[in-house]
Amino acid sequence: MRALAAGEQAYCAYCGSPLPPLPPKGGRPTAYCPADADRYGTWGAKTITCAMLDEHREIWVTVYGADQPMTELDVHALDERLTAARTVLDPVRAELTALHNHVTGELAAALSARRVAEEQRDGAVAAAEAARAERDHAAAEAERAREQAADARERQSAAEKQAGEALAERDQALAARDAANREAEAAHADRQRALDQAAAAQQRIAELQDTLAGERAAALERLDQLRRDEEQARVELRTTLTEQWEQRLATQAEQFTRRQHEIQTVADQRITDLTEQLTRSTEHYAASLAPLHDQLATLRREVAERSSAAANAADQLAQLRHDLGRLIDTATAEGTDPTTHPATDDGALRQRLRALLDAGAERSDTP
């Protein structure tokens, strides 16, 4: 439809036949061939068209699937489409054949030209290799000539340098000879001067040795005297120190003895005082304990007497409680009071009396 709208050749979407162009007045483009009753016939009042057949084919494929046998109509339509396609493709095939032949000829010519060009290139490469070899040979010859010239220049420079060095060595030898002569003369003068100095030094050494021997003898004598003086001073110092030390020890021993005697006296006096104080304290303690012992003995006797009296009273009370209880029980059993009083409140009175007796018994049993 886009091709048809653009004015290009379009084909039917069902049968593939060329579609007629749009009329000049315009209209709605369609993708199918126009209705033609002579082509497919009619179905009832409707003309069978490509659009109807395409729609029914889509319905058939949707309902029954694509794998269905082709009908005679489908085969006829396919045959028509193949014929139309073959009609369209035959000119294209002829044009492709002509194009293939043309391309084949052009390719053969290109291959031939390429072969000729490669042969020419190989010849040019060989010529270039030969020229390069000749150039390398010429360069090598020039390099050898250059090296020979450089060697000749170096040998000439070395010869000139050796000649200059020989002249310099000769001048140095002459200068060294003159210097050696001068040094020999100076050495002779130095030797004579050294001999004179050695003789003077020998004389000075002899004088110094004599002086040193005298000073050494005096020093030895002085050293002996100093040693004797030192020994005497050491003996005197030892004697003095010994006497002072013995005197000091005697003084300290006397002081220690006197101090010990004083301390012993003070200690004895303190012991005596403490002994007397302890004796007095003991006597006072014994005197103060005597009344307490008497009072304690009296209290013990009183406690014993009261304990005995309490025991007797408890026995009597128990006996009395027993007798009274038995009497009350007897009176209760007979229904009369021992005092022959009326028995209007006898029950309550007996109960109170019994409770009082029990309470008294509990208090008496409690220590």
Side-chain angles (χ1 to χ4, degrees):
M1 292 180 66
R2 287 193 297 270
L4 188 62
E8 299 176 356
Q9 182 64 47
Y11 299 93
C12 178
Y14 177 72
C15 65
S17 300
L19 296 176
L22 293 176
K25 295 182 179 180
R28 184 178 181 182
T30 177
Y32 299 98
C33 296
D36 187 3
D38 296 334
R39 186 177 182 184
Y40 297 116
T42 58
W43 183 48
K46 294 182 179 181
T47 302
I48 300 174
T49 61
C50 290
M52 184 185 296
L53 293 175
D54 191 17
E55 182 180 1
H56 283 269
R57 184 180 61 182
E58 290 180 359
I59 294 172
W60 178 272
V61 171
T62 302
V63 174
Y64 298 104
D67 297 333
Q68 297 295 328
M70 297 179 67
T71 63
E72 183 179 356
L73 184 61
D74 293 332
V75 173
H76 178 69
L78 182 60
D79 189 17
E80 289 182 353
R81 293 180 65 179
L82 288 176
T83 301
R86 190 179 296 110
T87 303
V88 174
L89 291 176
D90 286 340
V92 176
R93 187 180 295 110
E95 186 175 357
L96 289 175
T97 302
L99 183 61
H100 181 267
N101 294 330
H102 177 70
V103 169
T104 302
E106 292 292 335
L107 181 60
L111 292 175
S112 178
R114 177 184 176 184
R115 190 178 304 107
V116 173
E118 288 179 353
E119 291 176 355
Q120 293 177 357
R121 184 195 63 185
D122 294 338
V125 169
E129 290 292 336
R132 189 179 298 109
E134 292 179 358
R135 185 196 63 185
D136 294 339
H137 181 70
E141 292 293 336
E143 185 66 24
R144 283 196 296 272
R146 191 180 300 109
E147 290 178 355
Q148 291 175 0
D151 293 338
R153 285 194 299 271
E154 289 179 357
R155 286 195 296 270
Q156 183 180 0
S157 299
E160 293 176 355
K161 184 177 180 181
Q162 289 178 359
E165 291 178 353
L167 292 175
E169 290 177 356
R170 186 193 64 182
D171 295 337
Q172 290 178 359
L174 293 175
R177 185 187 63 183
D178 295 339
N181 292 330
R182 289 193 299 272
E183 289 179 358
E185 293 176 357
H188 182 70
D190 292 339
R191 180 173 177 276
Q192 187 63 36
R193 188 167 49 254
L195 290 175
D196 296 339
Q197 291 178 357
Q202 289 290 337
Q203 185 178 358
R204 179 61 178 168
I205 289 171
E207 294 176 356
L208 291 175
Q209 287 179 352
D210 295 339
T211 304
L212 182 60
E215 292 179 355
R216 183 178 181 184
L220 290 175
E221 185 178 357
R222 179 62 178 169
L223 181 60
D224 293 337
Q225 183 64 33
L226 290 175
R227 286 178 179 175
R228 289 193 296 271
D229 295 342
E230 181 185 2
E231 186 66 25
Q232 184 177 359
R234 186 177 298 171
V235 172
E236 293 177 356
L237 180 60
R238 186 182 295 109
T239 303
T240 303
L241 291 176
T242 302
E243 292 176 356
Q244 291 179 357
W245 180 252
E246 291 177 353
Q247 184 178 359
R248 187 175 179 182
L249 286 177
T251 304
Q252 289 181 357
E254 184 179 357
Q255 291 178 357
F256 289 156
T257 303
R258 186 168 57 255
R259 180 63 177 169
Q260 183 180 4
H261 184 268
E262 292 176 357
I263 293 173
Q264 185 67 33
T265 303
V266 173
D268 293 341
Q269 183 64 34
R270 181 62 177 167
I271 291 171
T272 302
D273 295 340
L274 291 176
T275 302
E276 292 177 357
Q277 185 177 359
L278 180 60
T279 302
R280 289 194 300 270
S281 298
T282 303
E283 292 176 354
H284 183 269
Y285 179 71
S288 60
L289 285 179
L292 294 177
H293 284 295
D294 295 339
Q295 293 178 5
L296 182 60
T298 303
L299 290 175
R300 286 176 179 173
R301 286 194 300 272
E302 290 179 357
V303 169
E305 292 175 357
R306 290 184 180 182
S307 298
S308 178
N312 294 331
D315 294 338
Q316 293 177 3
L317 180 60
Q319 185 64 33
L320 179 60
R321 188 180 293 113
H322 178 67
D323 295 341
L324 183 58
R326 187 174 56 184
L327 179 61
I328 291 172
D329 293 337
T330 302
T332 302
E334 294 177 354
T336 59
D337 189 82
T339 57
T340 65
H341 289 290
T344 57
D345 295 329
D346 290 344
L349 182 60
R350 291 191 187 94
Q351 293 294 331
R352 291 181 63 187
L353 183 59
R354 190 69 179 177
L356 290 174
L357 291 175
D358 292 339
E362 292 178 358
R363 286 195 298 270
S364 64
D365 292 337
T366 302

